[in-house]
Structures are given as structure tokens and as C-alpha cells.
Amino acid sequence: MNITEELIERFFQDKCSAEDVGYITAYLDKHPDILEKYMGEEDWTAFKSSVKLHPAVSQKMLSAIRSSTYVSVKRRVWLRYVAAASVLLLAIAGIKYLIAVNDIKETNPVVNVSVEGAPVFKTLKNNTGKVERIVLNDGSVIMLEANSELSYYEPFEINKRSIYLKGEAFFKVAKDKTKPFTVYSNEIATTALGTEFRVRAFENSNTISVKLFEGKVVINSSDSVDKKLATNFYLLPGDE
């Protein structure tokens, strides 16, 4: 493209098209000495940009200005021309950046995502002498008998719901096929996806009892290495 003085004057009067601005900016960047004809000492001192740039662009401009203050006097005039061209280039880049950011915001609205905190291991002891009703964060209900203790993570782990029982409790499990609900009581583990059952496993007793009221559960050894049960036991409603 042929860059004429008339075209450059139109550029400084802000009368050029966006395409012409790109060509002229590139031309001035290669020929900074031409700026002397259009930008005197007073213009340079009074120069102010009305464009509100992105912080990243502003920071680059600030770094360039700061570094230019430490050069020798002989190079100051030349650097002013280069800096002026750079400011023009950065201003155009900043405008394009802001337009792009606005387009992204319009096409990709912000979505608020709630993030669960780290699981906390909770222990509940029933020393009241009567049954206590406990509702877990998944909707499951536990009726904890007197002199019994319950421990679990809140919130539950990603792919399972683990409960540790000492004593006796009735469980009404909220259905969730992606998170098996397992009650560990001494040597056995009772697992269900969604059902109602009762577990009795006091530490001073030689018997662990599991009774199923609704659904289906599987009972196996709680220790995968030292197995107390030779096989898994499946209960149907009414089985104990």
C-alpha cells in the first residue's frame, strides 16, 4: 500500500479506516523519524491516550516507559519516536483485546460452581439413654440406639458412603447406585445401594446381627486381608 503524507495526516486526525490504520501503524513503526513532522516536543509532552487498556497491555507500556528513562541523552529523541509508534500499536492491540474479551463473556457466561471442602471425619455418641435420629447429607436416616457410636466422613467420599458403627443402629439408606452405602461393624461390612436394615455389633458381644427390612444387602468381611467370612452373604427382606 502506498503511504502518502495526506494519508498520514488523516491518520493523526483519526479519519482513517481500520485497515488503513494497520498499514500506517506498521509503516510508522519502521520509520519512526517521520513522526517528527507530525509530533513536536509539546505534542509529545501533552500526549494522553483516551483508550482504557487492559491491565496486561498497560503494564507492558509502563515497563517500556520506565526502561526508556535510563538511556543516554543521545538516544532519547529516537526512543521517543519508537515509543510513540509502540503506544499506537499497543492501543490498537488493547482495543482488539477488549473486544475479544467482551465477545467471550457474551458467548460464555460465568457459571458459579460450588466446591465441596475436604471431608471431615465425624463421630457421634448416643449417651442420652434413648434412640437418636440422624440425617446424613445424602438424605439417609439413621436411628442410633443408646450406648452406640457412629463415625463417618462429611461430606462422603467421591465414590462411596462409609459408616463405622459400634453398637446398634437402624439404617434407611437413600438410593444412589454410584455410591454404595457400607456399614463397618467389627469384623463385617454390610453394603447396600438403597434399603432398610439394622445392624447390632456391640464390642462386648460375640455376635454381630444384621436384619434386612427392605431391599437387598451383601455382607462380607470388613478386612480384605484377614477375612473372617469365607463367602459373601446376601439377605432378602426378613432375613437376619
Side-chain angles (χ1 to χ4, degrees):
M1 180 179 180
N2 186 24
I3 306 298
T4 64
E5 290 187 2
E6 180 182 357
L7 190 59
I8 295 175
E9 288 179 358
R10 288 175 58 81
F11 172 82
F12 281 100
Q13 294 171 6
D14 197 21
K15 295 181 179 180
C16 288
S17 64
E19 184 178 2
D20 290 341
V21 168
Y23 286 120
I24 296 171
T25 303
Y27 179 79
L28 293 176
D29 189 37
K30 294 180 180 179
H31 305 84
D33 52 277
I34 295 178
L35 290 172
E36 186 176 6
K37 299 179 181 179
Y38 303 93
M39 205 168 178
E41 182 68 21
E42 292 182 3
D43 295 330
W44 174 263
T45 304
F47 176 76
K48 292 183 180 179
S49 174
S50 60
V51 179
K52 185 177 181 180
L53 301 178
H54 186 272
V57 178
S58 299
Q59 186 61 37
K60 289 182 180 179
M61 292 173 60
L62 180 61
S63 298
I65 294 170
R66 284 177 175 172
S67 62
S68 67
T69 59
Y70 296 99
V71 298
S72 62
V73 175
K74 293 182 180 180
R75 298 177 60 195
R76 285 180 182 173
V77 175
W78 181 82
L79 285 175
R80 285 178 179 177
Y81 298 147
V82 175
S86 300
V87 168
L88 292 173
L89 287 172
L90 289 172
I92 294 171
I95 293 171
K96 291 182 177 180
Y97 180 89
L98 292 174
I99 293 173
V101 169
N102 289 332
D103 290 342
I104 292 172
K105 287 182 178 179
E106 290 177 0
T107 56
N108 298 283
V110 176
V111 178
N112 293 322
V113 179
S114 60
V115 180
E116 291 185 348
V120 177
F121 193 69
K122 298 183 65 174
T123 298
L124 303 177
K125 297 181 180 180
N126 184 0
N127 298 320
T128 64
K130 58 183 180 180
V131 178
E132 280 192 348
R133 183 175 184 270
I134 301 168
V135 180
L136 304 180
N137 58 3
D138 68 335
S140 298
V141 178
I142 302 175
M143 305 301 292
L144 187 62
E145 296 287 341
N147 303 316
S148 299
E149 179 179 312
L150 199 69
S151 299
Y152 58 93
Y153 284 99
E154 188 177 71
F156 285 120
E157 297 161 281
I158 296 175
N159 57 354
K160 60 184 177 180
R161 295 174 287 176
S162 301
I163 302 293
Y164 302 88
L165 173 68
K166 294 179 182 179
E168 182 177 356
F170 170 84
F171 298 86
K172 186 174 183 179
V173 181
K175 293 183 179 180
D176 187 347
K177 294 182 179 180
T178 64
K179 287 187 177 182
F181 189 100
T182 302
V183 178
Y184 295 91
S185 47
N186 295 338
E187 284 83 10
I188 71 169
T190 305
T191 302
L193 296 178
T195 186
E196 297 181 14
F197 62 95
R198 182 188 66 209
V199 177
R200 182 184 292 114
F202 288 97
E203 290 182 316
N204 58 355
S205 174
N206 294 326
T207 302
I208 301 173
S209 171
V210 179
K211 183 173 182 178
L212 180 63
F213 295 90
E214 181 182 307
K216 187 177 181 179
V217 297
V218 57
I219 302 170
N220 51 30
S221 295
S222 59
D223 190 338
S224 60
V225 178
D226 183 18
K227 293 187 176 182
K228 301 297 183 181
L229 300 179
T231 185
N232 295 342
F233 290 91
Y234 294 88
L235 300 185
L236 296 176
D239 291 344
E240 182 174 5

